[in-house]
């Protein structure tokens, strides 16, 4: 049968020619009986008739040696087999990989006569497989060596691959997690929000999803922030088989971001409070704003806050002001209302006022009971203030301080007084002195006081200390300015007095000369004018001219008397004076002028009362005359119904003399100047009339006042002590 098979193979060899096909035939003893031309060409050292040997003819053997590492052990006789060999014996340079198929040869009696082996060069395929295996090895090394979690998830959202990085981040081993749903590591709230559906849809739509930040849950329940990148995974036919997910742990970065954000927020709050307090100079307002900032939602969010200030004069640390609701419902109501309409701290401090009789009544009753003598050391409040240290009380125990500190206030514990076992005490101080302390707690909602809360409170207290110091400096500066202004005013007054004295000295000197040079001629002129006025009976014109001369002489005498009285005022020679009679005499003196100017002169007093005072009748006469003359001058501009009223009445043991006119009144800007010497609005006035009146009234222990209105006119009131016991009435 072999010759027939060999002839068939030779015929076949002619057809396939130089095709890269290796064929050889062995007999039952495994010796080569035939091989094709391509085999002979590639393995020229192999001949027919020689036995099959491992390295030379690629036959498997029991001993595994180099070059046959990929060979199967020993072919099973009479059985079909497939084997891949590596060889350096071919004519082609380098290592070749050959895949041989063994076909047993039988006779008709089913006896095994030998084996036909057919081989093909699979070097390129094997090299590609080697490369793939190398890549897979590198990929495995990378995947297992990275600190990031790398997960493969199928379309059922089941985890199929789980690397060492995933185990490190989430705490689950591969055996624990593979086959589980990806929802096992997702927070429940994100599952409810449909995050997984969103991720799947985005990957299906775009094929990839990068840098998606979210949270995942670890085996111990802790949440970590991760950065997720997702890619669709396809098989060799291009069909999607799932997604690969790379999760980077960004918890440290997020912590840093949150810390930075918190720092920025705290600095923003601090800056906003600083801007608010910078413009405030009232201590109570500073305390109010500080307390609001400590408790506001836009501030530090403490439930309650108390300010205690040191009273250095009485040597006691005493509660001053507090803020805080009585219960959680009230707290929610207050801050919900404020936060709904006002989003900035500066708005809230302007709107919210501490209600001592309402929402803030209870806490202010508490702070009002806190009073600690400064010699009570070691006391927890004094320790915080005097040592300038922050003290944290947690669960009723002082944290971080081993020395025993008293909490007793008037036989009551501070814990009992505050009704709180968790609070913080921070000092308020400046560079020069300790001002007090702030106590803050969260006894309403029991929110834990964090280290950030304590640091924020310390910074707010520092700002409050600076603001209080500035307020006190501002107050001291304002007081100093007032002192300087007062001193400057006194200096101005002294200068005015000096100038007045100089003017009076000049007036005195001039008055002495006037007394000698003018008085005697005036007496003569006045006397002769009166004689002429009496003698001329038949010539009204001359009689009128004589009267005018007499009046002008009287005016000149009055001016001279004012000048002399101003320069050298004499003390009053007091007698008992009947005020009513004195007013009638002055009115009679001015009656001629009053009648000429069509002015009505009215007198008003009770005829049954005796209006007597102790005074100098001549000086009082002069004062009343000056006032009536001023009233006449004031009525010059009135065309009709001009009126002067002279009144005397007794009020509270005093005689009140009133001289009133219905003229245009005194302008408001001149009211405070009318009694100044030499102040006048008249073109020919001396400005001495009212100043003389004031000096005369003052010398009689009286007072003078004036009321003026453009509609009703002007009223001068002179008040003198009543002297009803003296009966000797003298007139000028």
């Amino acid at each position: 049968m072999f010759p027939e098979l060999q002839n068939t193979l030779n015929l076949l060899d002619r057809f396939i020619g130089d095709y890269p096909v290796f064929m050889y035939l062995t007999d039952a003893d495994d010796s080569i009986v035939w091989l094709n031309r391509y085999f002979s060409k590639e393995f020229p050292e192999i001949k027919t008739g020689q036995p099959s040997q491992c390295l030379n003819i690629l036959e498997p053997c029991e001993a595994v040696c180099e070059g046959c590492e990929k060979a199967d052990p020993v072919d099973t006789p009479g059985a079909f087999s497939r084997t891949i060999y590596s060889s350096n014996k071919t004519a082609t340079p380098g290592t070749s990989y050959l895949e041989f198929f063994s076909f047993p040869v039988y006779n008709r009696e089913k006896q095994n006569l030998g084996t036909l082996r057919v081989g093909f060069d699979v070097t390129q395929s094997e090299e590609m497989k080697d490369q793939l295996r190398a890549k897979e090895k590198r990929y495995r090394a990378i995947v297992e060596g990275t600190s990031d979690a790398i997960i493969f998830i199928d379309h059922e959202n089941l985890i199929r691959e789980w690397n060492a990085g995933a185990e490190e981040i989430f705490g689950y081993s591969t055996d624990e997690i593979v086959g589980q749903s990806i929802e096992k590591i997702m927070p429940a709230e994100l599952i409810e929000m449909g995050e997984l559906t969103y991720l799947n849809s985005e990957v299906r739509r775009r094929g990839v999803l990068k840098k998606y930040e979210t949270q995942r849950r670890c085996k111990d329940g802790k949440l970590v922030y991760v950065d997720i990148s997702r890619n669709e995974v396809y098989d060799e036919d291009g069909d999607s088989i799932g997604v690969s997910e790379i999760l980077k742990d960004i918890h440290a970065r997020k912590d840093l971001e949150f810390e930075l954000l918190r720092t920025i927020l705290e600095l923003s709050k601090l800056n906003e409070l600083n801007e608010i307090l910078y413009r405030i100079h009232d201590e109570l307002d500073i305390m109010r704003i500080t307390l609001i900032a400590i408790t506001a939602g836009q501030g530090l969010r403490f439930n309650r806050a108390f300010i205690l200030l040191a009273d250095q004069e009485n040597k006691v640390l005493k509660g001053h002001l507090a803020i805080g609701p009585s219960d959680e419902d009230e707290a929610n109501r207050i801050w919900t209302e404020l936060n709904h309409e006002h989003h900035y701290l500066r708005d809230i401090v302007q709107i919210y006022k501490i209600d001592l009789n309402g929402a803030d009544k209870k806490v202010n009753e508490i702070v009002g009971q806190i009073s600690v003598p400064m010699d009570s050391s070691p006391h927890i409040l004094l320790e915080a203030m005097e040592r300038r240290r922050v003290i944290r009380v947690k669960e009723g125990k002082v944290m971080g301080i081993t020395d025993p500190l008293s909490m007793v206030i008037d036989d009551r514990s501070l814990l009992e007084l505050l009704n709180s076992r968790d609070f913080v005490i921070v000092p308020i101080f400046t560079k020069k002195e300790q001002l007090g302390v702030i106590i803050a707690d969260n006894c309403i909602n029991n929110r834990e006081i964090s280290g950030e809360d304590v640091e924020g409170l310390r910074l707010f207290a520092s700002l409050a200390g600076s603001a209080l110091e500035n307020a006190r400096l501002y107050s001291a500066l304002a007081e100093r300015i007032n002192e300087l202004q007062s001193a400057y005013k006194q200096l101005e007054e002294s200068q005015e007095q000096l100038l007045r004295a100089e003017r009076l000295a000049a007036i005195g000197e001039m008055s002495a000369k006037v007394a000698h040079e003018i008085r005697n001629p005036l007496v003569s002129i006045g006397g002769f004018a009166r004689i002429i006025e009496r003698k001329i009976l038949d010539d009204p014109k001359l009689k009128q001219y004589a009267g005018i001369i007499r009046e002008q002489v009287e005016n000149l005498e009055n001016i001279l008397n004012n000048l002399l009285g101003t320069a050298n005022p004499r003390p009053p020679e007091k007698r008992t004076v009947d005020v009513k009679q004195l007013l009638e005499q002055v009115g009679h003196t001015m009656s001629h002028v009053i009648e000429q100017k069509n002015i009505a002169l009215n007198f008003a007093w009770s005829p049954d009362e005796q209006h007597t005072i102790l005074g100098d009748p001549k000086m009082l006469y002069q004062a009343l005359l000056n006032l009536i003359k001023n009233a006449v001058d004031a009525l010059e501009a009135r065309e009709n119904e001009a009126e002067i009223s002279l009144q005397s009445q007794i009020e509270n043991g005093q005689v009140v003399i009133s001289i009133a006119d219905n003229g245009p009144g005194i302008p408001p800007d001149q009211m405070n100047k009318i009694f100044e010497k030499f102040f006048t609005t008249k073109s020919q006035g001396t400005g001495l009339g009212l100043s003389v009146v004031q000096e005369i009234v003052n010398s009689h222990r009286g007072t003078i006042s004036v009321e003026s209105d453009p509609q009703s006119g002007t009223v001068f009131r002179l008040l003198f002590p009543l002297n009803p016991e003296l009966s000797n009435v003298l007139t000028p």
Side-chain angles (χ1 to χ4, degrees), residues 659-715:
I659 296 93
D661 66 73
N662 60 347
I666 302 170
D669 59 337
Q670 297 177 8
M671 284 290 289
N672 60 342
K673 300 179 181 179
I674 59 174
F675 292 110
E676 293 180 3
K677 288 183 175 66
F678 307 109
F679 174 79
T680 181
T681 58
K682 303 174 186 176
S683 59
Q684 297 181 352
T686 62
L688 294 171
L690 288 178
S691 66
V692 169
V693 172
Q694 187 180 49
E695 289 179 358
I696 291 173
V697 171
N698 291 339
S699 67
H700 285 73
R701 294 187 302 145
T703 59
I704 183 170
S705 63
V706 60
E707 295 178 3
S708 186
D709 182 85
Q711 303 297 326
S712 57
T714 303
V715 180

Side-chain angles (χ1 to χ4, degrees), residues 266-280 286 288-294 299-300 345-346 349 456-457 459-464 467:
E266 291 299 325
L267 289 175
S268 175
K269 294 176 183 178
L270 197 66
N271 182 60
E272 190 173 5
L273 179 60
N274 185 51
E275 288 181 353
I276 295 169
L277 293 179
Y278 179 77
R279 299 185 293 270
I280 306 299
I286 290 171
R288 178 186 68 83
I289 291 171
T290 302
L291 290 175
I292 293 173
I294 291 171
L300 298 182
L345 184 60
R346 60 177 175 269
V349 298
L457 185 61
L459 293 174
F460 275 31
S462 176
L463 280 183

Side-chain angles (χ1 to χ4, degrees), residues 38-54:
Y38 189 79
F39 193 103
S40 298
K41 178 183 176 183
E42 290 297 316
F43 294 96
E45 72 277 9
I46 298 177
K47 307 295 182 180
T48 58
Q50 71 180 45
S52 173
Q53 295 181 2
C54 175

Side-chain angles (χ1 to χ4, degrees), residues 425-492:
I425 307 169
V426 296
I428 309 173
F429 59 88
T430 68
K431 291 181 179 179
K432 297 181 179 179
E433 61 178 333
Q434 293 82 25
L435 301 180
V437 297
I438 294 176
I439 305 173
D441 68 11
N442 290 324
C443 72
I444 304 298
N445 61 13
N446 295 317
R447 180 176 65 86
E448 184 178 358
I449 300 174
S450 67
E452 290 80 6
D453 293 335
V454 175
E455 180 62 18
L457 185 61
R458 185 187 67 80
L459 293 174
F460 275 31
S462 176
L463 280 183
S466 298
L468 288 171
E469 181 181 32
N470 290 339
R472 293 179 180 182
L473 289 174
Y474 182 86
S475 178
L477 180 61
E479 185 177 346
R480 181 58 179 161
I481 290 174
N482 289 335
E483 291 176 357
L484 291 174
Q485 289 176 339
S486 177
Y488 180 73
K489 186 176 180 180
Q490 290 178 0
L491 179 61
E492 284 185 328

Side-chain angles (χ1 to χ4, degrees), residues 52-61 63 65 68:
S52 173
Q53 295 181 2
C54 175
L55 294 177
N56 292 326
I57 61 173
L58 306 175
E59 280 295 306
C61 56
C65 51
C68 290

